[in-house]
Amino acid sequence: MALNTQGSDTGTSTPGAVTATSSGSAAEENGGSSPVAHAGFFTLALGSVGVVYGDIGTSVIYALREALHAAEKAHGVLAREEVIGVISLIIWTLTIIVTLKYVVILLRADNNGEGGTLSLMALALRATGRSAPIIFVLGVAGAALFYGDAVITPAISVLSAVEGLTLVTPAFDGYVVPITIVIIAALFLVQRYGTAKVASWFGPITALWFVVMTIGGFLHIADDPGIFAAFNPYHAVSYVVTHGHTSLLVIGAAFLSVTGAEALYADLGHFGRKPIQATWLAFVFPALTANYLGQGALVLANPDAIKNPFYLLFPEWALLPVVLLATLATVIASQAVITGAYSMTRQAIQLKLLPRMEISHTSETHVGQIYMPQVNSILMVAVLLLVIMFGSSSKLATAYGISVTAEMVITACLAFIVVWRFWRWPLWVSALLIAPFLLIDLIFFGANLLKITEGGWLPILLALSIMFIMRTWVRGTKILFEKSRRADVPLAELVKNLEKSSVVRVPGTAVFLTSDPETAPSSLLHSLKHYRVLHQKNVLLTVVTSNTPRIDEADRVRIEPINDSFTRIFMTFGYMETPNVPAALALCRKQGWKYDIMSTSFFLSRRSIKPASHHLLARFQDKLFIKLAINASDATEYFHIPTGRVVEIGTQMSI
């Protein structure tokens, strides 16, 4: 699908036609697209350790602890087979959901090397060959749920790490929340400087974290070698079957062990399929397994260790260094989900789901490293509120899981459509492949729903709020578009009339940004009305967003001459790209169209939106849409147009 971008002719977005665009294949060497094609395999693998596996790697601090606490609440004392059953449940959850579903299957469902919910949605839409509302809604819901993860992950990760200080000395008991607030605030405040300078440290630090957790696990496996029975899936199934309602609570807590698994797919474009797969199978999965086995053996040998089995793996002299390393690891895990929120927001803006926002590029060499001040501020406030509201990782764990499990259910549904329609597998084979994963995801989702009254309402409320904002923006821009069409003049009619008129011609080129290439832009009509002049060359520029993540320069621009004075130019950007209009116009020279920025003026129409007496939206949606439109980033900055070459013409519209 190719979508007209927002703000082409106005200060807000306008919906456009959906058309098919072709998609290239992922790079073969690394299993990704061009952004990773020239990097070494080891470099990509090490980088994936820091970014892709940071979240799932820090879940060892609290996942087993919360699962054992959930099991303990039912009976007071945990039996040996119950501990083994919980460990088995975690190990097989990692095996089925992460290894089989994400590493083996979903990493192959790339959209020009890019992954993530919106990429999967784009593949599903392309596979159906038409606009499918249910697929679009699933994609939007998945994106909205991601923000729930982006808010909760920094809060629970940093809290769980800092809580280890209370084991070093009880003097830290009253300072866990203040220290966490300081760390999180510092993390968000340094975002404006970009991650380029510190990103090179992410991989080595997180790799050291996995090495340390592996050592910690091996130090205690010998405490009770019977823990190896957890490799037998019988113990996991037996626990679930024989423990009724308690097993659902344990399943919900055990799911914490795979939080961050969605990053495997979302970060596909940054590191490539093969480096991510190799890192998981050869390094990360064995490290997690060894640590969970060690924690389980420790609890079997010393039941009192259930209060914090991860940190008690280590001798007292090593506790403080491990806590500090854990804090660094959780900050890195939080960094990954924060930058993921930036990337997701940029995709949503390009797909017209949200208004334009300021985007700053923090690296001259890595196009994916961006900073979005508005998103950063909202996330920081939300995360700090969570820390203050819940106060501990155990309490916050009740809010965790629902958004991630719901997103995994959506991913499985979209994956079925892609396997069936895009990969063209038989229906029964597609169902046989995806149905088991969907069933497991639904079980985990149902188990996590039991946490709604204890805090699980939070990610659901957050996701619904974001979906409502997206719905309001899409609906509002559609209403504005339809209203403006009633007063529009067909471009062909205007061009024909101008050929017969004696309007004064002035030298230079005028570029009119428009979302509808078949009608005359309001900025052109107002220019003729007020200035009574026409430039020698006039360009009707339409910027569209493709359903592919990036577009080759050869396919960036398409020129359609109308007559000696008017030309249509279509400019296409991928949904992972930030539009740069002047740079793209320079490519027109290769097609014989002369372009000189110093003799070119860009005409934009800035709409002032007022509430109408007859409301097409609910009154509170009117106010929300107007607020969003007012705070939308300026089109000049968004399209990287030099401010000295811009002429803005104001118009008023009601909604």
Side-chain angles (χ1 to χ4, degrees):
M1 101 184 145
L3 301 170
N4 290 336
T5 62
Q6 66 276 6
S8 296
D9 183 33
T10 69
T12 60
S13 67
T14 51
V18 177
T19 58
T21 58
S22 61
S23 170
S25 59
E28 292 296 329
E29 289 299 317
N30 293 318
S33 62
S34 57
V36 299
H38 302 293
F41 183 89
F42 178 77
T43 301
L44 292 170
L46 184 60
S48 71
V49 173
V51 176
V52 176
Y53 296 112
D55 192 3
I56 200 170
T58 55
S59 63
V60 294
I61 301 174
Y62 50 83
L64 179 60
R65 181 191 69 197
E66 297 305 318
L68 292 176
H69 285 173
E72 186 183 37
K73 285 180 181 179
H75 306 292
V77 178
L78 286 179
R80 178 182 180 84
E81 58 271 17
E82 290 178 320
V83 174
I84 294 176
V86 172
I87 298 294
S88 181
L89 184 61
I90 289 177
I91 289 175
W92 282 98
T93 298
L94 288 168
T95 301
I96 295 173
I97 292 184
V98 183
T99 306
L100 295 180
K101 178 182 176 182
Y102 281 94
V103 173
V104 175
I105 298 175
L106 277 181
L107 286 183
R108 298 180 180 275
D110 68 286
N111 185 15
N112 274 24
E114 292 290 346
T117 303
L118 292 180
S119 290
L120 198 61
M121 178 192 75
L123 284 178
L125 284 171
R126 193 187 313 155
T128 59
R130 56 188 175 84
S131 177
I134 189 169
I135 295 176
F136 190 75
V137 170
L138 285 174
V140 170
L145 288 164
F146 177 84
Y147 289 101
D149 187 24
V151 170
I152 299 177
T153 292
I156 192 173
S157 298
V158 179
L159 264 174
S160 63
V162 175
E163 284 168 351
L165 291 173
T166 61
L167 298 177
V168 177
T169 170
F172 283 107
D173 281 348
Y175 296 96
V176 170
V177 171
I179 293 173
T180 301
I181 289 174
V182 170
I183 293 173
I184 290 175
L187 172 65
F188 280 99
L189 290 175
V190 300
Q191 293 300 313
R192 69 183 65 192
Y193 301 108
T195 60
K197 294 181 180 179
V198 296
S200 59
W201 293 90
F202 282 11
I205 291 175
T206 310
L208 176 61
W209 168 251
F210 280 107
V211 170
V212 168
M213 79 165 65
T214 304
I215 294 173
F218 278 124
L219 286 175
H220 289 275
I221 288 178
D223 291 355
D224 194 325
I227 195 64
F228 283 110
F231 283 119
N232 187 343
Y234 167 79
H235 294 285
V237 175
S238 176
Y239 183 88
V240 172
V241 171
T242 60
H243 284 75
H245 179 267
T246 302
S247 68
L248 291 177
L249 297 176
V250 174
I251 287 173
F255 186 81
L256 295 171
S257 64
V258 296
T259 54
E262 68 280 0
L264 285 167
Y265 187 41
D267 288 315
L268 175 60
H270 295 284
F271 301 100
R273 173 168 52 87
K274 291 183 179 179
I276 292 176
Q277 289 176 326
T279 302
W280 171 257
L281 295 172
F283 184 55
V284 176
F285 190 25
L288 293 171
T289 303
N291 189 268
Y292 283 121
L293 289 173
Q295 289 188 54
L298 174 63
V299 171
L300 288 176
N302 178 18
D304 291 337
I306 192 176
K307 63 181 181 181
N308 209 323
F310 174 79
Y311 282 119
L312 291 176
L313 290 174
F314 302 94
E316 188 174 344
W317 61 266
L319 199 53
L320 183 59
V322 170
V323 171
L324 295 177
L325 180 60
T327 304
L328 284 174
T330 55
V331 168
I332 291 172
S334 301
Q335 176 66 59
V337 79
I338 292 169
T339 53
Y342 297 158
S343 179
M344 182 70 73
T345 305
R346 178 171 65 175
Q347 293 181 48
I349 292 171
Q350 285 287 72
L351 295 173
K352 304 183 308 165
L353 301 175
L354 291 172
R356 286 188 304 264
M357 299 182 194
E358 181 183 348
I359 299 176
S360 301
H361 290 267
T362 58
S363 172
E364 295 180 0
T365 57
H366 296 83
V367 69
Q369 292 185 8
I370 60 174
Y371 167 65
M372 302 186 70
Q374 292 165 297
V375 176
N376 191 69
S377 298
I378 293 171
L379 284 179
M380 181 174 70
V381 171
V383 173
L384 291 177
L385 283 175
L386 283 189
V387 171
I388 295 170
M389 286 171 57
F390 288 87
S392 73
S393 60
S394 292
K395 292 180 180 178
L396 193 54
T398 61
Y400 211 19
I402 290 182
S403 60
V404 182
T405 52
E407 187 177 359
M408 287 185 174
V409 169
I410 290 171
T411 299
C413 294
L414 293 175
F416 169 73
I417 297 173
V418 170
V419 173
W420 174 35
R421 301 294 295 273
F422 192 74
W423 291 357
R424 300 186 183 282
W425 287 22
L427 177 61
W428 70 271
V429 176
S430 304
L432 196 63
L433 177 67
I434 300 299
F437 299 115
L438 179 59
L439 177 61
I440 292 172
D441 289 338
L442 287 170
I443 291 173
F444 277 112
F445 179 61
N448 277 279
L449 284 177
L450 297 176
K451 304 177 184 178
I452 283 185
T453 58
E454 300 176 11
W457 53 269
L458 183 66
I460 294 178
L461 178 63
L462 182 61
L464 290 175
S465 299
I466 293 171
M467 290 182 68
F468 179 75
I469 291 172
M470 290 180 174
R471 169 61 179 167
T472 300
W473 183 253
V474 170
R475 177 61 178 152
T477 52
K478 182 179 180 180
I479 291 172
L480 283 184
F481 179 77
E482 291 173 349
K483 280 194 171 186
S484 63
R485 285 296 297 266
R486 298 179 195 138
D488 281 342
V489 176
L491 181 63
E493 179 181 328
L494 177 65
V495 170
K496 184 177 180 180
N497 291 335
L498 288 174
E499 288 176 345
K500 302 175 182 178
S501 71
S502 58
V503 64
V504 176
R505 304 279 177 146
V506 295
T509 301
V511 177
F512 299 92
L513 275 75
T514 177
S515 58
D516 184 2
E518 299 300 325
T519 61
S522 59
S523 53
L524 171 59
L525 296 175
H526 284 280
S527 176
L528 288 170
K529 177 181 178 181
H530 295 288
Y531 303 141
R532 303 184 185 279
V533 295
L534 187 69
H535 284 72
Q536 289 178 341
K537 294 182 179 180
N538 299 274
V539 174
L540 288 306
L541 175 61
T542 300
V543 180
V544 298
T545 299
S546 170
N547 66 344
T548 54
R550 292 177 179 84
I551 298 296
D552 291 335
E553 284 196 355
D555 302 322
R556 177 77 68 199
V557 294
R558 177 166 57 90
I559 302 174
E560 290 185 1
I562 298 175
N563 61 15
D564 292 339
S565 299
F566 284 88
T567 302
R568 281 196 193 97
I569 295 181
F570 296 88
M571 195 174 290
T572 307
F573 294 91
Y575 62 79
M576 290 291 290
E577 298 178 303
T578 301
N580 188 320
V581 167
L585 281 176
L587 298 175
C588 295
R589 295 170 182 155
K590 296 180 181 179
Q591 301 185 34
W593 187 78
K594 294 182 179 180
Y595 168 67
D596 179 11
I597 185 66
M598 298 309 296
S599 62
T600 301
S601 298
F602 295 85
F603 286 80
L604 305 178
S605 177
R606 176 173 289 275
R607 285 176 176 166
S608 175
I609 305 172
K610 306 291 184 183
S613 55
H614 176 66
H615 298 277
L616 295 177
L617 290 173
R619 186 178 296 274
F620 64 94
Q621 280 188 291
D622 273 350
K623 294 180 180 179
L624 175 60
F625 178 77
I626 293 172
K627 188 73 173 177
L628 291 172
I630 291 173
N631 288 282
S633 177
D634 184 70
T636 303
E637 295 179 2
Y638 185 77
F639 291 112
H640 291 80
I641 303 172
T643 55
R645 310 305 309 172
V646 173
V647 178
E648 287 191 348
I649 300 176
T651 59
Q652 283 194 358
M653 291 196 69
S654 59
I655 183 171

